Amino acid sequence: KLSHGSPSFRSRALLFAPVRPSFAVSFLGGFAMLAYEEGGGLGYPPLGGPVMDEELARLEIIRQGFRINWMNMRDASTGQILWEHHDWDCNSLEVEAQVPKEILRCRQVSREINFSSQEKMSSLRLVQTIMFNGQHLEEWNFAFGFVIPNSTNTWQQTIEAAEEEEMIPAELLSGNTVIDTTFYDGDAIIASQKVRLWYV
């Protein structure tokens, strides 16, 4: 299944390094997200509120069957792949991504996330929280929708860059930017992971 997800929009995206604090990131936040630390070990964030045992068991099965396969980013105007990663580490709490500085010069960037799910999901969505030097800057939401059981899907989004004069230099962003990305089925957390960005 190929989905274009949320409509394209103008983004003062961190990937494009804006000066103003009111901005967003969208196409780096889809990195694999399956675990978080709970009492020194790996687990899943609590759902919150009363949930029946049957529903908890169903969600656990969904989590176990969900994984990111690969991801890439392209210059949307030419289709040239600028960054890609296969065999994503779905178990680490935080991973690092080395992104070429050239991507900051693109007017539009297209991201593709390829993921697999063994179970049906009725309303897959993605929430990205951007942290810069430990400060919360912005949150963005993307909706994929229904996921067919035993399927592999490619989720694509296209982002337009901010103006050049609004950019923060790559050397300031590099290593200081963390994208906290969480996948949900409706309101239930399916997977979560932090990604630290380095511009090389």
Side-chain angles (χ1 to χ4, degrees):
K1 178 181 178 181
L2 175 64
S3 172
H4 293 280
S6 308
S8 299
F9 57 87
R10 181 174 179 76
S11 171
R12 296 186 179 88
L14 194 59
L15 187 65
F16 294 108
V19 170
R20 296 197 295 269
S22 177
F23 59 84
V25 171
S26 51
F27 54 87
L28 271 185
F31 295 80
M33 320 141 198
L34 285 178
Y36 86 124
E37 191 166 8
E38 181 182 71
L42 295 181
Y44 292 97
L47 295 174
V51 181
M52 297 178 61
D53 290 344
E54 183 177 333
E55 179 67 6
L56 287 172
R58 184 187 72 84
L59 290 173
E60 185 62 26
I61 292 173
I62 291 175
R63 289 164 175 160
Q64 292 176 1
F66 177 81
R67 71 167 290 107
I68 301 297
N69 300 314
W70 54 262
M71 202 173 312
N72 68 40
M73 291 186 288
R74 303 170 183 261
D75 182 337
S77 64
T78 66
Q80 179 186 0
I81 294 178
L82 302 174
W83 177 90
E84 61 182 338
H85 189 86
H86 295 265
D87 301 320
W88 191 261
D89 181 358
C90 296
N91 296 311
S92 296
L93 303 179
E94 181 175 313
V95 297
E96 296 186 350
Q98 297 190 353
V99 181
K101 295 179 181 179
E102 290 75 17
I103 204 167
L104 300 175
R105 296 198 291 266
C106 297
R107 294 307 306 153
Q108 290 186 326
V109 174
S110 173
R111 177 191 65 181
E112 291 180 323
I113 305 169
N114 184 270
F115 68 92
S116 296
S117 179
Q118 295 179 7
E119 304 298 322
K120 177 183 73 174
M121 285 188 273
S122 59
S123 184
L124 178 65
R125 60 189 182 91
L126 172 63
V127 177
Q128 300 172 295
T129 302
I130 316 310
M131 305 294 292
F132 179 63
N133 284 330
Q135 295 186 345
H136 176 277
L137 294 178
E138 190 59 273
E139 180 176 286
W140 282 83
N141 298 270
F142 300 90
F144 184 89
F146 183 80
V147 177
I148 299 171
N150 297 310
S151 65
T152 296
N153 309 272
T154 300
W155 190 354
Q156 184 182 65
Q157 293 138 0
T158 300
I159 312 303
E160 182 180 356
E163 297 299 328
E164 185 175 355
E165 60 269 17
E166 298 176 333
M167 304 290 188
I168 295 174
E171 55 268 23
L172 297 182
L173 294 172
S174 187
N176 298 316
T177 305
V178 175
I179 302 177
D180 192 348
T181 302
T182 304
F183 287 97
Y184 293 83
D185 182 15
D187 293 327
I189 294 174
I190 302 302
S192 184
Q193 189 178 56
K194 297 183 188 329
V195 180
R196 186 173 297 274
L197 303 183
W198 298 89
Y199 290 93
V200 296

